[in-house]
Amino acid sequence: MRARILTGLLLVATACTSSDGGVAVVEAWARPTAPEADVAAFYVDIRNDGPDEVLVGAQSDRCGAVALHDTVLEDGVMTMRHIEEVAIDGGSTLTMEPGGLHIMCVDLEESLVAGQHVDLVLLLGYAVRLEIAVSVEQR
Amino acid sequence: MSVDVEEPRAESQPARAVWPWLVIGAAVVLSAALFLGGLFRPHVFNGTVIQSNDIAPPMTGLVYDDGEPVDLEALRGNVALVYFGYTHCPDLCPAMLSTVSRTLGELGEMGERVATMMVTVDPARDGQDYVGEYVRFFNPRFRGVWGTEDQVRLVSTKYGVHFQYDEPDEDGNYPVAHTASLMAIDPDGVLRVVYPVGVTVEELTADMRALLR
């Protein structure tokens, strides 16, 4: 019985962790989405105090697909560019923000509502899965 | 042989009594000058100020989400904030609409004199009703604006706004590349300030106060 509780606690601890080795999530947020809106953006700031890492993608059950995107000014128009990977060198912080780098969620199943926490898995390399919770906030 | 000469001290006494008053007087005049100078100093806008006094291009052919034709002349005496965007927009459009919504909150009653509209640059996917529903999620006072792609393009070009549809994915979803600036039309109907992506609530609030003064 005690062993089962301990295992349970360990599982919870593993699921909640937002830090892996030298990598820690500083902030993770998303705006609430309009009714029927099928896209959303997640903004995650990642601090890396360990060896160099590469963010290669993300996954969420709330989205049909998730991709790294950068919003850039090109020929006078703001264009979203798909990004294959983003380096997070040791000793640096990766910052995402509106109008710049973001994690785009397409085919959003249900609206994001303020106060919710969305489970998101960050893929650091293809081997490391960092499970985080994205806070849905009106900003 | 020496003669004692009395210094004419009596004359220097009144001068010594007057100089503090001169200093205070000068300080008062200087403060008043600085205060008045501050009052008349022009507000420095937080976007690109359009120097001409041309009336903003009319929204020919475009309608609000409820079907009413968009008549910018009807908005004289108010500031009109115009944004060209689309509803399948994950990043920039929600960011700008949230910023404007919070600005209206900061402005309180004065915010009632700011008319905000988003013209869809993706009318094929954004229904006329839905563009309204979408923007009202951000603020119930916002209005959606719709027209055919040709009509929207004719108007947007005059505002210096361009848009193009990127390659669709396997599901037919496509992002729209667009000029994502926010335009402010002043109470005289003049296109006055163009705001870049990233303008803050504080900056926009200060500018709206200046435009509505």
Side-chain angles (χ1 to χ4, degrees), chain A residues 39-101:
Chain A
V39 290
F42 302 131
Y43 306 99
V44 186
D45 291 352
I46 306 164
R47 172 75 198 164
N48 182 10
D49 286 316
D52 293 355
E53 299 276 4
V54 179
L55 179 65
V56 295
Q59 296 171 347
S60 175
D61 291 343
R62 298 285 297 268
C63 318
V66 180
L68 299 177
H69 265 139
D70 200 4
T71 301
V72 291
L73 184 64
E74 204 175 80
D75 302 328
V77 290
M78 298 300 281
T79 307
M80 281 194 307
R81 221 186 260 153
H82 177 68
I83 303 282
E84 291 295 331
E85 56 180 47
V86 185
I88 319 173
D89 293 343
S92 74
T93 301
L94 177 69
T95 307
M96 302 191 193
E97 60 188 356
L101 188 67

Side-chain angles (χ1 to χ4, degrees), chain B residues 2-202:
Chain B
S2 68
V3 180
D4 274 335
V5 180
E6 283 267 6
E7 290 289 330
R9 286 215 180 96
E11 276 169 30
S12 69
Q13 289 294 48
R16 208 176 284 170
V18 158
W19 76 260
W21 293 107
L22 283 177
V23 169
I24 290 166
V28 167
V29 169
L30 194 65
S31 316
L34 284 174
F35 175 71
L36 289 173
L39 279 187
F40 293 116
R41 192 188 310 145
H43 175 76
V44 178
F45 284 96
N46 295 293
T48 305
V49 175
I50 311 290
Q51 296 287 356
S52 80
N53 282 321
D54 295 341
I55 296 300
M59 303 252 174
T60 312
L62 306 189
V63 292
Y64 289 116
D65 53 276
D66 61 4
E68 182 192 341
V70 181
D71 176 13
L72 293 178
E73 282 183 37
L75 299 173
R76 294 288 159 82
N78 302 281
V79 168
L81 290 176
V82 180
Y83 184 72
F84 291 83
Y86 68 113
T87 72
H88 290 74
C89 173
D91 180 36
L92 291 173
C93 314
M96 190 61 95
L97 293 173
S98 298
T99 300
V100 175
S101 176
R102 288 169 56 208
T103 299
L104 297 193
E106 289 292 318
L107 289 170
E109 259 182 43
M110 199 185 244
E112 288 167 21
R113 289 176 58 208
V114 177
T116 310
M117 63 188 88
M118 182 178 93
V119 183
T120 178
V121 293
D122 189 16
R125 279 191 299 182
D126 291 344
Q128 183 181 316
D129 290 341
Y130 183 62
V131 67
E133 195 185 325
Y134 178 80
V135 296
R136 275 189 289 279
F137 169 74
F138 294 92
N139 191 297
R141 296 193 46 249
F142 288 0
R143 298 180 87 178
V145 174
W146 193 90
T148 64
E149 188 192 325
D150 287 345
Q151 287 170 325
V152 172
R153 213 176 274 283
L154 276 175
V155 172
S156 77
T157 305
K158 289 182 187 155
Y159 280 83
V161 169
H162 304 283
F163 57 94
Q164 70 212 30
Y165 305 115
D166 290 345
E167 282 299 303
D169 64 15
E170 54 269 28
D171 298 324
N173 297 322
Y174 54 89
V176 183
H178 62 119
T179 309
S181 316
L182 177 75
M183 329 252 163
I185 299 171
D186 74 12
D188 296 326
V190 175
L191 181 55
R192 184 53 70 204
V193 198
V194 178
Y195 295 99
V197 167
V199 65
T200 66
V201 173
E202 293 72 25

